[in-house]
Amino acid sequence: MYRSRPKGDLEPESLNFMSSVKVDNKIAAYDILGTQAHAIMLHEKGLIDLEALKLILYELRMLLQNPKVVEILGYEDIHEALEAHLIKKLGIEIGGRIQTGRSRNDQVILDIRMMARDELNIICSKLITLVEGILVKAEENLDAVLPLYTHLQQAQIGNLSHYFLSYSDQLFRDLERLSIAYKGINKSPLGSGPVGGSGLPLDRNRTAQLLGFEGLIINSIDATSSRDSLLEVMSALSITMITLSRMAQDFILWSTQEFGYLEIADNLASTSSAMPQKKNPDPLELIRSKTAIIMGNLLTSLTILGSLPSGYNRDLQDLKLVFFSTLSIISSTLSISDAIVRTLVINKCHMKQVVHDSYANSIDIAEQLVVRKGLAFRTAHRFVGSLVKIAVDKKLSELSRVSEIDIERMTAAISDDLKVKDVVKILAEMTPDKLLLLRSSTGSPNPLQQKAMIKSSRIQLQRNMKKLLERREHLKNADDNLRNVTSSYLKKMQKK
Amino acid sequence: MYRSRPKGDLEPESLNFMSSVKVDNKIAAYDILGTQAHAIMLHEKGLIDLEALKLILYELRMLLQNPKVVEILGYEDIHEALEAHLIKKLGIEIGGRIQTGRSRNDQVILDIRMMARDELNIICSKLITLVEGILVKAEENLDAVLPLYTHLQQAQIGNLSHYFLSYSDQLFRDLERLSIAYKGINKSPLGSGPVGGSGLPLDRNRTAQLLGFEGLIINSIDATSSRDSLLEVMSALSITMITLSRMAQDFILWSTQEFGYLEIADNLASTSSAMPQKKNPDPLELIRSKTAIIMGNLLTSLTILGSLPSGYNRDLQDLKLVFFSTLSIISSTLSISDAIVRTLVINKCHMKQVVHDSYANSIDIAEQLVVRKGLAFRTAHRFVGSLVKIAVDKKLSELSRVSEIDIERMTAAISDDLKVKDVVKILAEMTPDKLLLLRSSTGSPNPLQQKAMIKSSRIQLQRNMKKLLERREHLKNADDNLRNVTSSYLKKMQKK
Amino acid sequence: MYRSRPKGDLEPESLNFMSSVKVDNKIAAYDILGTQAHAIMLHEKGLIDLEALKLILYELRMLLQNPKVVEILGYEDIHEALEAHLIKKLGIEIGGRIQTGRSRNDQVILDIRMMARDELNIICSKLITLVEGILVKAEENLDAVLPLYTHLQQAQIGNLSHYFLSYSDQLFRDLERLSIAYKGINKSPLGSGPVGGSGLPLDRNRTAQLLGFEGLIINSIDATSSRDSLLEVMSALSITMITLSRMAQDFILWSTQEFGYLEIADNLASTSSAMPQKKNPDPLELIRSKTAIIMGNLLTSLTILGSLPSGYNRDLQDLKLVFFSTLSIISSTLSISDAIVRTLVINKCHMKQVVHDSYANSIDIAEQLVVRKGLAFRTAHRFVGSLVKIAVDKKLSELSRVSEIDIERMTAAISDDLKVKDVVKILAEMTPDKLLLLRSSTGSPNPLQQKAMIKSSRIQLQRNMKKLLERREHLKNADDNLRNVTSSYLKKMQKK
Amino acid sequence: MYRSRPKGDLEPESLNFMSSVKVDNKIAAYDILGTQAHAIMLHEKGLIDLEALKLILYELRMLLQNPKVVEILGYEDIHEALEAHLIKKLGIEIGGRIQTGRSRNDQVILDIRMMARDELNIICSKLITLVEGILVKAEENLDAVLPLYTHLQQAQIGNLSHYFLSYSDQLFRDLERLSIAYKGINKSPLGSGPVGGSGLPLDRNRTAQLLGFEGLIINSIDATSSRDSLLEVMSALSITMITLSRMAQDFILWSTQEFGYLEIADNLASTSSAMPQKKNPDPLELIRSKTAIIMGNLLTSLTILGSLPSGYNRDLQDLKLVFFSTLSIISSTLSISDAIVRTLVINKCHMKQVVHDSYANSIDIAEQLVVRKGLAFRTAHRFVGSLVKIAVDKKLSELSRVSEIDIERMTAAISDDLKVKDVVKILAEMTPDKLLLLRSSTGSPNPLQQKAMIKSSRIQLQRNMKKLLERREHLKNADDNLRNVTSSYLKKMQKK
């Protein structure tokens, strides 16, 4: 760094404390691309001549093939290192022009936004893949009955297909949030100077277009100092992680010996160095803890920003750090989640057995008493409650085993109209498979509904894929264009 | 609560620990409206007869005028209390039908969503008012020059209008996020039962329509168990608070004796019980700390959800609590922010003096050397840096006071072409007012640009107002419709 | 407030936003006591005369009986309200002397510290009660075998007594942390003025002694501006909550139908409005979510302080708010935890059955192969692993059911020395009860060890009780003394 | 890992997601030491023979010199990698004995505790150095008057020495908390097995003694599953970071052009790539943001634990990660803080000027009116307030410039006894230097007091150094002893 004002060099310890070069490798390539676009615009606006442009573009093209060539040791960040590299190669008269009308403050947030676009596209792609896997599982498990839980107590009878669809629905909303966050990210801050713009005739729309952005963050203070679009991404990703973590939590419980509904594949499970019988669902546990890390990162970012004055402050460097960490963690978590879902070993028989040996059909029985016998729901609820008490006391595994005598005693207490035989009939009929077919309200676990839900989810998935494809195309086109523009300038040199 | 399974009543201490009735007053009215819609639908689907419907609707209409009539002591929540009230008034045969096909699990999230819609509309309305106030300030301060800061050091010369516009731009994005979050909220979960839907022929679209929702949360597990839409609201509000907090932080600094750029109005300031000379900007400090509370609330919510199994768990009650707290805090913070902005006392003269006595025009000088004399930016940067050093050493208040002899010494070191008189000319010309007019890059502090920005911001504000108005209209229409449908059913009774 | 500098009164909205009077009811009594001590010291140092002292002490004694008499509406805080009350009653010539050498900045942190002492003593007392309850359970369940879990998979066989003791041990450390935090709290800030002390001859040690403090926070900036002692309390309480939450999490799992190890008492459980068969462990879930609130409060406090400049800033008011919230939540959580533990219904038979039908004795079998047959542990681990595989494939409920033929096949692969009959013998002997008696390493689940642990825990509990009693005595003595000093001054008046 | 139960190997992606080997390099050396101690104990208890012990100790001693020799690729953690290494070198018959009576669950927390002891000692040492530096500054600045701030408004006149001492006092409490946390850390979990201890005759006290621990975490569930001692460390370090961050925040403000009280040394400051005049206090800003990271880490840890069931769960691996991160960040932050403090450039003249041109002596004037003229403080406060109003209106830089006529008008409104000349005299006398000498209350900024405070702080510092030295001695002695015991066993081999 050209240290105009402070005397002497930075203490090594201080430099080490301050430097972000170690994490800047994630944005090095974007810094080079941004520099290409900036140089081209400078030339087009008459701020550097063709010769300088060509030399700069040539060096940058070399670097793009191997960004590691840039010497980063001794620099505070990649931007400084890149300029130093160009000056070393081209001399200050040429290389010293690259920061014309540009500051590290608009440059770093440019790089972050470019990087975030690509990462968000990868993340969305992985999310789509995961949803696909979940839909496959939903289809495979249309016939898998299991208890649904509230308060972790058996609540109602459901089916596993419906359960999986509840997660694909959540993930669709996560996808939607990320698509919106993408739009917020996809605006160019370049040309905002350190905080108050530039007195040079920069063309901000040109660099934005060369780099594939759709629009500008106009106000230069806003562009260099705000990070709300990053917070929006981190919030959306935190919510996504919670979706994944809650599914993982279910699977952890369901893969206990006690629940026994499923197992993760052997080649994803861990074992014990001490206990030979163990098969541990470690990746599921780590999804849970990674969620806590993502939350910690979000909090760190909010805290950094919460009382930061306007304008760039160095604190933002650490926000960059945790932002990168979050993108990286979510990406690997999505991959492992997908691997887990696709290879889940599901124990349908055991689920079915559990459902049969439960009182989870109580509400269905009560509802049938409402429908068929006209009981007030509260009355029906109380009546079934009394049957449950008997069943518990007598340790009966299902309500249909309550004796007619006991039923008679209970019906008498409720209503003259309620006949024992009617109750017996309802009890007998409320088997898992049958009662699910009665679940007619929209969104209920009823295999017929699930089939329709899967179908419409597939359509929704297609829509999401298409949207993602378009975003990628747009970026690719911009990349191609930048390469072509660069080449055409470089050819001009060769003609000379 | 009809305690079918557990014997005996709840311990008072336990009830007290568990009950949410104290905060449920915020949703009592919505619970009544939701119950009206549910009852109408039940009747329309043949699940309760006209007589029962009329009695229930009549009671609910009474209650709506004074929800506090509902006895809440001794109940776990408002839903239980409301049913108990109806049973007390109408008997179990009528009142006991109101929970037909409904559970507290779909009911509570219905209420929260209805409440959140109204609160979000109020918040958006306050945000719009605040933006309006900021635009007024931007207009009033087109001529107010001040230093812009990075690292809290004077960086570039700017104008206050541009500063204010950086905040209206941020708040527009906050508004946008809240509008999107509103859409996520505005979907009906009603009819999802406890977790697995219902075996009764409920018409979920009908209740959704009666309550003004645009669509359903379809999957019943998702509808009762997910809270991502609330997290989305809380994230968006956290980001909004950070916008407000950063502005507050600037104002706190600027109202120190040392900066002296502005003061908050006397009737918003606090004083000291001990030090007679004090005028403290307490509301600004509290905006900062309220932001920390909002962040704590967000964290609490994320933590509650992070490892929660599917299905309703009682933990969600505490998420409700902090969600309400967040809505309430943001609302009062927006009001106070608006009051502060509109009455800010701005000390333009002092700002101007500070700008004059600073080196904050250094970059403009360097840029002019690039434009006029063709220097490489890095060379110009070094050269101006050397002038700064001289000025610092000689304690000169501005760079234009550097002597020609010193300038000559420095130009000689840089380039033969750089003439002293050219430098002197540039130094003399780079006065705050003139240099701002040279800031031509989009989004720079240049009064001409600010005028255009204000104009386009006003248009954007209109668009936001219109959108909000439409949302409110939609809710109002649904309200009117529900009242009409209710009245028409009640009239049927009177005819009898 | 006497608003010397800002003109006019506070806007009501601003006052409402800023005022802390609503939460200050928690410290009103302490504010009065502190004012008594301060007045006495002022008199003793010749800063107010006897007459004024007597009038002030008289009013304060009245107020102490009913602090609600103080009009708080229209004031920013209790300190302002109290002074206004005294001035209203006694005129400015007397009442206007009470803030001599005192500021709200040293006053508020005095009150908080006094309040925190009492609350911490209550919390410690409740913790002691809870530990007592846990020790009772540990004693009752010396014979209750159950699987211990890692990764929520059955790991080793243990006993419930040992499990309970793991929690009393954790709670002892929590108690220890709170005792240390108490010492940090128990220092007086009074006499530090607004930030820079006072030019009056205050006797800080005298007020500290009158209020039962052990020492001063000496430096006046530190005394008025630091809150690390509150953070220490909040951290310690967060850790305590985590202890309680993890126990709650275990109990939630263990009270599922699938685990079935225990139930919370009926009168602590909640039920369902929809599903008659439900018995939900709601208080346990709320312990989990309250923990998240406590964590949110801690975060809010850390965030408030993290970038706060030195000296009192109004942000600290919100730290006070969440500090009070934390103290209140922990207190009710401890009560409910104690109620839950003492009334837990434990299903020893079922636990025993589960243990019998498990492979959780695998490690004990491996260890016996090490001890008796000299196998390397890794070899033994592999060998038992192979038995487990057979048992899983053949769906055998215990390892002792593996056939001799299969064992023979496996031993052959390991070692010539390993005889089938030896293996069979070990398998047969490794029953839950027997193997626990072999667990000889310190701290293992072995009923003999548990008996000793319970005994030593009881002694430790006594020590904690004694320590708490001493703290309470000390405070009570100070209270009595302050009352006596006050009375003796008031009697001087009566003599006149 | 010997995968007894799950079939096949781990998927590489899964292994990568799960493995902690990358961070385990921080504990590799401790894992080796712990293994030495464990092996010695196993031999002493007859569980492995001398020959095996010697071979194992020999390998471990080699490894200790270069822990990187252990192949970590393909392993889940360092523990697994170390065993694999020993088996590869010594065969399963010898190497396969090292996990006898040991699990990764007690092993990992042993390593963390050993590592934390050393890191805490380093951190405490750096804290002591920092306090030393602060005391030097306190001594150098006994004569530096400056305004003290509340609400960031000039409040009272103080001196910089007193300011520095407020931070050394805080840091002493931080040191105290870390010393206590050290005790919590310094207990051995080794010998607890996976969760339920071991059936082998392990001597836990022997390994604890060999590794320099003072006592055991007795209960085996507690030992393997609790992390409260780590949370205690992280809480204490968070509070320490807040101390550092608040000081940094003050320095950031004070090094603005507007405050101008100090500058950080040039070789610690950063500059701007765009603005030649900039000297930015970047390390101070990064101290602020690192504090946010530390808070995020604490939150992550609390969240991970909050709802974790008893027993080791893989989530704890990520807690290890953020624990290491926290230790590393605090360590570098302390170094940079020390470097900053020791080289601070303090502008005493400017501070003095600011103090002179302020109303910050208002409270002193009011107090003198109380002392000398017997005014009620509130009356004096009002009176001085009225002088301030005049001074503000007339733009007078100090209160002593208020004209006698104005004073007369004001005194008349207050009291007949208050003479203008008395007021004038007090106003004239209340110069910064004089009034500080009147600050007699304990802990006030009064150079005479500061001298005493510095003296007693130096004594306190000595006490802390001594305590730290003892801890280090204890660890060193244990290290030496372990080395000697090892050597003596290895010599037995050579004799053979």
Side-chain angles (χ1 to χ4, degrees), chain C residues 2 4 156 196 245 306 382 389, chain D residues 2 4 156 196 245 306 382 389:
Chain C
Y2 301 98
S4 321
Q156 284 183 281
S245 176
R382 280 181 174 190
K389 268 185 194 151
Chain D
Y2 300 96
S4 320
Q156 285 183 282
S245 176
R382 282 182 172 188
K389 266 184 194 150

Side-chain angles (χ1 to χ4, degrees), chain C residues 269-442:
Chain C
S270 187
T271 183
S272 160
S273 64
M275 297 160 293
Q277 87 283 9
K278 290 297 288 298
K279 177 181 166 184
N280 296 327
D282 293 45
L284 294 170
E285 298 166 75
L286 288 166
I287 291 171
R288 213 165 44 183
S289 57
K290 299 292 178 211
T291 305
I293 293 183
I294 295 289
M295 284 161 53
N297 285 348
L298 176 60
L299 157 70
T300 295
S301 306
L302 292 166
T303 303
I304 284 176
L305 281 173
S307 50
L308 210 60
S310 284
Y312 184 86
N313 295 275
R314 192 63 173 257
D315 318 55
L316 295 176
Q317 177 171 300
D318 279 328
L319 196 152
K320 176 175 71 172
L321 186 80
V322 296
F323 182 66
F324 291 174
S325 152
T326 289
L327 291 173
S328 158
I329 289 172
I330 188 98
S331 200
S332 60
T333 304
L334 282 166
S335 297
I336 204 84
S337 298
D338 182 55
I340 291 167
V341 164
R342 286 178 190 267
T343 58
L344 271 182
V345 181
I346 290 161
N347 194 345
K348 293 185 191 180
C349 288
H350 179 61
M351 284 179 187
K352 188 158 206 163
Q353 193 55 47
V354 169
V355 160
H356 267 282
D357 293 353
S358 82
Y359 311 146
N361 58 355
S362 295
I363 187 172
D364 302 278
I365 294 166
E367 289 189 339
Q368 289 307 311
L369 289 166
V370 168
V371 171
R372 301 191 196 175
K373 310 308 301 172
L375 260 56
F377 177 74
R378 188 54 62 217
T379 308
H381 178 267
R382 280 181 174 190
F383 173 70
V384 181
S386 65
L387 296 186
V388 169
K389 268 185 194 151
I390 292 165
V392 169
D393 289 347
K394 303 203 169 174
K395 298 186 196 284
L396 308 176
S397 66
E398 325 167 32
L399 295 180
S400 62
R401 299 192 178 193
V402 176
S403 71
E404 296 203 13
I405 294 164
D406 282 331
I407 295 173
E408 186 151 31
R409 197 156 42 85
M410 293 299 148
T411 52
I414 293 288
S415 148
D416 293 345
D417 297 343
L418 192 58
K419 301 284 182 272
V420 174
K421 71 169 186 350
D422 295 335
V423 174
V424 169
K425 188 159 181 280
I426 290 174
L427 287 177
E429 283 178 22
M430 286 302 101
T431 61
D433 291 336
K434 277 192 203 147
L435 67 85
L436 283 183
L437 292 172
L438 288 173
R439 295 271 178 80
S440 49
S441 67
T442 308

Side-chain angles (χ1 to χ4, degrees), chain A residues 235-254:
Chain A
S235 301
L237 292 177
S238 296
I239 299 174
T240 304
M241 280 300 281
I242 282 174
T243 310
L244 301 176
S245 176
R246 293 186 72 181
M247 189 167 68
Q249 181 77 336
D250 287 336
F251 291 172
I252 288 170
L253 293 172
W254 293 356

